[in-house]
Amino acid sequence: MNLAAAVQVAPNSTQQAVAYPSLFLLVVIGALVPVVPTGALVSSAAVVALHQATPSLSLLVVFGVAALAAFLGDITLYWLGRRGMRSKNGSRWLAAIRDRAPEERLAQAQAKLDDHGVMVLVLSRLVPAGRIPVMLACLMAKMPLRQFARGDVPACLAWAVTYQLIGILGGSLFKEPWEGVALAVALTVLISTAPTVWRKVRRAPA
């Protein structure tokens, strides 16, 4: 390897050594505290991975890191929610879950859970603001942690694939990574806000 190649590889290796743990940590935090835009993080990471020297490997690592982090975050939050359900005084985690699950969305989630079982977790991960109401419905149904985990695995895999594809789309349209990141973030924000805006438009008086 010549000097020029070594200089090029070193920064990439350093960036990846920092970026992957950061992505993992942020996605876990986003699963526990549903205010971090984890979808945008995964899409942005996919854009950056697409411009690496070995994009296929980088994208595979991003996918694995994002899916694992989302799963661990979900399982941890569900475990904390179960502890809150068993406690007489509840818990701040259970209160946070309840606060983010409006009655209407919770009723819909409970109906879908009755009809489709744990597979509704897959859709809940893909529908904006759908994860928390379904998780609360599972808690209220006293679903065992192991059963929740079985449904959450394909949900996290599907979620990681979806947002990575958004990033790949954004990254493939531009030569500069920052342009692809900007487009990916815009797309994820649009996807996450569109259902809320549509519901408000439908409820607005004619």
Side-chain angles (χ1 to χ4, degrees), residues 3 7 16 18 53 62 114 133-134 142 144 150-151 153 155 161 166 168 170 193 201-202:
L3 180 60
V7 171
Q16 291 173 4
V18 174
V62 168
D114 291 339
V134 170
K142 297 182 179 180
R150 285 200 301 267
V153 168
V161 167
I166 293 174
I168 292 173
T193 58
V201 170
R202 289 184 61 185

Side-chain angles (χ1 to χ4, degrees), residues 77-86 139 142-145:
L77 184 59
Y78 192 74
W79 178 76
L80 291 169
R82 278 173 57 85
R83 287 191 62 187
M85 293 289 287
R86 291 193 296 266
L139 287 170
K142 297 182 179 180
M143 180 181 293
L145 180 62

Side-chain angles (χ1 to χ4, degrees), residues 6 9-10 16 18 32 49 55-56 64 74 87 98 107 110-111 134 140 155 181 188 190 197-198 205:
V9 170
Q16 291 173 4
V18 174
L32 291 171
S56 298
D74 283 356
S87 172
R98 291 183 184 277
Q110 289 173 318
V134 170
M140 295 180 69
V181 168
T188 54
L190 178 63
V197 173
W198 174 246

